[in-house]
Amino acid sequence: TSPEQRVEAMRETGYGAELASPDQTAFEEQEAQDRAQEEEFRELRLKALLSLVFAAVGMLISMPVMSAPFAGEHAGHGAPAGDPFMNWVHGVIDPWLMGVLPWLYRIDVRLLSYTLLAMTLVAMAWAGRHFYTRAWAAFRHHAADMNTLVATGTGAAFLFSVAATFFPGFFLSRGVAPAVYYEAVLFIVALILLGNMFEARAKRQTSTALRKLVDLQPKTARVLRGGTEVEVPVEEVVHDDLVLVRPGERIPVDGEIVSGASAVDESMLTGESLPVEKAAGDPVIGGTINRTGAFRYRATNLGADSLLAQIVRLMRDAQGSRAPIQKLVDRVTGVFVPVSISIAIATFAVWFVAGPEPALIPAFAAAVAVLIIACPCAMGLAVPTAVMVATGKGAEAGILIKGGEALQRARDVTTVVLDKTGTVTEGRPAVTDVLRAPGAELPEERVLALVASLEAASEHPLAEAIVRYAEGRGLARLEVEGFEAVTGRGAVGVVDGSALAIGNERLMADYAVEIEPLRGAADERAGRGRTPLAGVIAVADPIKQTSRAAIRRLHRMGLEVVMLTGDNRRTAEAVAREAGIDRVVAEVLPEGKVEEVRRLQAAGEVVAMVGDGINDAPALAQADVGIALGTGTDIAAEAGDVVLMRGDLQGVPSAIQLSRRTL
């Protein structure tokens, strides 16, 4: 079948449908959807408010009609003698209303009935038209939904009232009051429209987060073309263009800094309030705000591939998805509607056969009441509205939830499995201690300057950590000669005239360096997850500041926390102790991570896996809920059901809490 035929089939079932334009970007699609939602909200608001006005006026007009005697040309239905409540209502309200609006009671009742008829026709044909067209579409497809109940109830009340208005004698000759229920029809239509308006308002407010995201992208970019600085529409920026950004400007597209440095405010995407320091080689995201310095960067991901466009598309897909609980609602509604109609018919029959004379009126009123009160609007609106609001709230907090299914599953999580490197820890080494040997003459700054100068020639991550630490303390580089990397051991060379050997215990043994005076300090720090290097410089992958607090929150929520890592057991256990994690599974490869998740699932646990690397992607996909850190790899983000833009663990308990509250 063709896409056009599918659209036509959807339209025949009573839904609006149209093909998406292949030329539209995610931003243009979102803008079109925003316009449609805004238009829907405005239309429903107008219809609901006017219907409420009609209903209030209709109730006012109905008072003299209801209190009119059963005689001659009058079409009133009066208060049955056996209905004390209605007698009391008329006894209280009629005298007051006659005093306030005496002219209303002097108008001919027939004219009032025709006025009510005209108002009700307008409300049904204009404001509530979609109830009837959708109910008819459902009937044609041998289905019944909430619109069926609304259409049946209000339709029955309206047709009965029309008959009573035009043929009152037929009713009077049979001893039945020619009752009109126009005000009931008006209020039913008005109140259900009011519910629809609130649903549209929720959708509209939820889209605010998306609109803010769309509005983040600037319309133009300043690029270097042929050595000249020119301003072009952002759509005309091409891959590898050099883009210039000044302080206070929004970054137009994704890229990588080539020269310059700055602090960039990424709060709209990550929820992180503090600006992030950026320098040459660091990535920047389109739509974020450059705060302090100017820089040039090379454009990388453009258009639909940009992070902003991907987030917009992800959010739109999530808000349009269905939670599994919606299937239950659909099944209940499929049974509920025909059962409600059957109960209404049975109610009419019982009242008509066994009720007080004249039996027709109370039988009809009871049957219509069943239809109207049974209308399960809340059941149908609750799930999609809740999913939209929850995913919108999540986006504001930097938690991207990929649809209703992930949102629902997160509620049932019993065990949270955490990767170590880059998830619990920062993911890059940092110097924690610098110790001199007992009785050494060199001051600490001199030791660090010598080591950092030699390590500056190395590409090893631990060497980079030492160099960063020395630069942070403002230590100058010393002259280096004869640098040599010793694989698996360290590095040697001559720094400022001194021969230097920097490395692990095996390198020290190679050079007959006595390490016993420092062994205790080295072992003590190794036991705390820190790797001892030269004289001793202790280097560790430090725990993120937010990890301990996040793990405490998970424990308070009654969840077990497991750390799953490929790192060695001693280091992993040290990190787990420091972070407050319950259990450690260490020295496992990616397939081992998947097996561990499966083992937990086989034991009856509902598992949320949290990770950031390519090696975590299979386990993220296997878990009941995969939670990827947005600061990690694209592959991990694709495999996850939830993406945490902030890149810290605080988003994990927040996501689970959001799911619990939503459900």
Side-chain angles (χ1 to χ4, degrees), residues 456-470:
S458 172
E459 295 178 351
H460 196 283
L462 300 184
E464 292 175 7
I466 295 170
V467 172
R468 278 198 310 272
Y469 183 73

Side-chain angles (χ1 to χ4, degrees), residues 221-251:
R222 197 178 302 106
V223 299
L224 282 177
R225 296 270 172 88
T228 307
E229 187 178 313
V230 294
E231 193 163 302
V232 299
V234 74
E235 295 81 10
E236 294 181 13
V237 176
V238 297
H239 199 275
D240 286 338
D241 259 346
L242 276 181
V243 185
L244 289 76
V245 184
R246 294 170 182 156
E249 293 181 343
R250 283 198 183 275
I251 296 169

Side-chain angles (χ1 to χ4, degrees), residues 442-517:
L442 292 176
E444 180 181 311
E445 286 78 9
R446 176 67 177 174
V447 172
L448 190 57
L450 287 167
V451 172
S453 298
L454 185 64
E455 293 285 36
S458 172
E459 295 178 351
H460 196 283
L462 300 184
E464 292 175 7
I466 295 170
V467 172
R468 278 198 310 272
Y469 183 73
E471 288 175 346
R473 292 182 59 169
L475 300 179
R477 294 268 181 93
L478 305 175
E479 186 179 347
V480 177
E481 301 172 22
F483 171 84
E484 180 186 349
V486 183
T487 305
R489 283 170 164 77
V492 296
V494 177
V495 181
D496 199 26
S498 298
L500 219 62
I502 304 165
N504 56 25
E505 189 172 340
R506 286 182 294 170
L507 184 70
M508 298 301 106
D510 290 345
Y511 283 85
V513 174
E514 178 59 51
I515 65 168
E516 286 306 320

Side-chain angles (χ1 to χ4, degrees), residues 28 56 63 68 123 127 155 169 216 358:
E28 290 167 339
M63 292 307 295
L216 283 179

Side-chain angles (χ1 to χ4, degrees), residues 298 511 596:
R298 182 174 55 83
Y511 283 85
E596 179 61 22

Side-chain angles (χ1 to χ4, degrees), residues 569-620:
R569 177 166 298 280
R570 189 178 183 189
T571 301
E573 288 177 347
V575 170
R577 280 195 303 274
E578 198 170 345
I581 293 170
D582 304 323
R583 191 163 65 85
V584 177
V585 180
E587 299 175 3
V588 288
L589 297 173
E591 56 267 30
K593 291 187 176 184
V594 173
E595 283 304 315
E596 179 61 22
V597 170
R598 284 179 181 156
R599 192 192 66 75
L600 288 167
Q601 290 171 326
E605 302 292 333
V606 179
V607 180
M609 172 71 196
V610 188
D612 72 326
I614 292 173
N615 63 330
D616 299 319
L620 288 169

Side-chain angles (χ1 to χ4, degrees), residues 49 57 71 159 195 230 251 333 347 376 510 522 540 566 577 588 622 649:
L49 293 177
V57 173
L159 292 174
V230 294
I251 296 169
T333 306
T347 301
D510 290 345
R577 280 195 303 274
V588 288
Q622 174 63 38
L649 289 180

Side-chain angles (χ1 to χ4, degrees), residues 54 122 126 141 152 194 214 277 281 313 468 478 563 603 643 651:
F54 274 27
V122 171
W126 171 66
H141 288 82
T152 306
L194 196 63
V214 171
E277 296 294 330
R313 188 162 53 248
R468 278 198 310 272
L478 305 175
M563 189 167 75
V643 180

